[in-house]
């Protein structure tokens, strides 16, 4: 079992920054993917950033250049640095732990993640 706990959400004005954290505890996994999902009201959960156990990262176009996913593996902490926030970034943000596929790719389907955190709310006002 793995337990994930997010923190760092809050309310900011457009153009501001936030850094989300996700602390993992429990069973250690050597080959993995960790993702940040977000879900806005009335919308489906969307994977916005992934990082695998080799620190390879991917981003959806809507956050590319503004958000940075990173991890400190020795401390089992995942980060999401969010800069130049926009009102459309308002959502509940979740971290997940999922399987690492052949070639280092990560599943981005919410149904295929193994573990979820409880989420942290990000609200961006215009």
């Amino acid at each position: 079992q793995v337990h994930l706990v997010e923190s760092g959400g809050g309310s900011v004005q457009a153009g501001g920054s936030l850094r989300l954290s996700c602390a993992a505890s429990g069973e250690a996994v050597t080959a993995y993917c960790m993702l940040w999902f977000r879900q806005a009201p009335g919308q489906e959960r969307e994977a916005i950033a992934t990082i695998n156990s080799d620190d390879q990262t991917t981003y959806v176009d809507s956050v590319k250049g503004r958000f940075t996913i990173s991890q400190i593996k020795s401390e089992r902490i995942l980060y999401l640095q969010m800069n130049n926030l926009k009102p459309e970034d308002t959502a509940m943000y979740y971290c997940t732990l999922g399987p690492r596929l052949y070639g280092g790719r990560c599943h981005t389907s919410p149904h295929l993640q193994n573990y979820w955190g409880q989420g942290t709310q990000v609200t961006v006002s215009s």
Side-chain angles (χ1 to χ4, degrees):
Q1 290 288 325
V2 175
H3 190 50
L4 301 175
V5 178
E6 301 98 334
S7 60
S11 297
V12 296
Q13 290 192 325
S17 298
L18 283 173
R19 188 178 76 163
L20 306 183
S21 300
C22 171
S25 61
E27 179 184 357
V29 181
T30 55
Y32 60 84
C33 284
M34 293 202 75
L35 293 80
W36 285 100
F37 280 79
R38 68 184 179 187
Q39 185 171 24
Q43 298 187 18
E44 295 184 352
R45 290 187 183 185
E46 173 192 30
I48 59 170
T50 75
I51 188 166
N52 68 16
S53 39
D54 287 334
D55 292 320
Q56 296 170 319
T57 60
T58 67
Y59 301 90
V60 294
D61 287 345
S62 59
V63 306
K64 201 172 292 185
R66 299 188 299 123
F67 291 10
T68 302
I69 188 171
S70 62
Q71 62 183 338
I72 301 179
K73 288 183 278 188
S74 60
E75 297 182 9
R76 302 181 70 187
I77 297 179
L78 178 73
Y79 294 108
L80 186 68
Q81 178 66 44
M82 304 186 295
N83 298 327
N84 190 23
L85 283 160
K86 304 176 180 181
E88 52 264 41
D89 294 318
T90 295
M92 185 71 79
Y93 285 71
Y94 301 88
C95 66
T96 71
L97 176 67
R100 172 174 168 158
L101 305 176
Y102 178 78
R105 292 180 299 111
C106 300
H107 267 308
T108 56
S109 167
H111 305 292
L112 297 175
Q113 305 306 304
N114 298 130
Y115 298 98
W116 288 80
Q118 83 289 349
T120 186
Q121 177 67 38
V122 172
T123 302
V124 185
S125 58
S126 57

